[in-house]
Amino acid sequence: MTERLAQNPAQRLEQGARERRAILSGSTFEEQIGYARAVVDGDWVHVSGTTGFDYAAMTISDDVVEQADQCLRNIEAALAEAGCALSDVVRVRYMLPEREDFEPCWPTLRRAFGGIRPAATMLVCGLSDPRMKIEIEAYARRQPAA
């Protein structure tokens, strides 16, 4: 007979199951589309493509560098809820509709990731809202508890 996994995450971990939980930011997009800002899966944290919206106010700047800053704040908040930080990021993906908007963001991105040097890719592609000038996706690995 197959043992049933407990519904409580702590009990599942005791049974040897990996933790899997969704982290929500409160963005209306998450509710409307049906996704999570991030998903914790064991030691891994997968952060969805994150734009420069201030999700509390559902506002967005017209400036790509300000959007990049807000993207990073949004990602940092999701990572903190998952029990890690920007320093735990191992991979990032930058998506921008306009190639020329990427270079102005470099100093902001270097401040966040220059010390840890995650694997990175930049893609030129359309985003779901014309106000969005950058979207950042991140993958982090949580450090083992001491």
Side-chain angles (χ1 to χ4, degrees):
M1 176 177 251
T2 305
E3 182 180 352
R4 288 191 50 177
L5 289 178
Q7 294 301 312
N8 178 311
Q11 291 172 333
R12 283 199 314 265
L13 288 174
E14 287 174 15
Q15 293 175 337
R18 289 191 339 214
E19 175 188 14
R20 187 184 189 289
R21 68 182 164 99
I23 294 173
L24 305 176
S25 69
S27 161
T28 58
F29 299 125
E30 294 168 9
E31 180 63 31
Q32 292 168 347
I33 299 169
Y35 71 97
R37 172 66 34 223
V39 173
V40 176
D41 184 16
D43 293 336
W44 291 98
V45 181
H46 306 269
V47 182
S48 294
T50 303
T51 65
F53 270 93
D54 173 339
Y55 295 123
M58 285 310 290
T59 59
I60 191 166
S61 170
D62 289 333
D63 181 75
V64 69
V65 175
E66 289 177 18
Q67 285 192 27
D69 279 328
Q70 185 64 51
C71 288
L72 293 169
R73 284 192 295 274
N74 294 340
I75 291 168
E76 196 166 24
L79 291 172
E81 192 170 333
C84 56
L86 285 175
S87 60
D88 296 310
V89 171
V90 297
R91 177 147 194 43
V92 291
R93 234 178 240 113
Y94 307 110
M95 294 155 278
L96 297 94
E98 302 295 333
R99 177 178 285 115
E100 60 272 6
D101 280 345
F102 191 46
E103 190 170 350
C105 296
W106 291 357
T108 298
L109 302 174
R110 187 172 41 253
R111 276 191 299 279
F113 299 119
I116 58 168
R117 306 285 177 112
T121 302
M122 187 281 243
L123 302 166
V124 176
C125 61
L127 299 178
S128 65
D129 183 318
R131 296 173 293 173
M132 298 172 180
K133 297 184 178 192
I134 186 169
E135 184 169 322
I136 303 173
E137 183 178 86
Y139 302 88
R141 186 156 191 199
R142 297 189 302 176
Q143 300 300 312

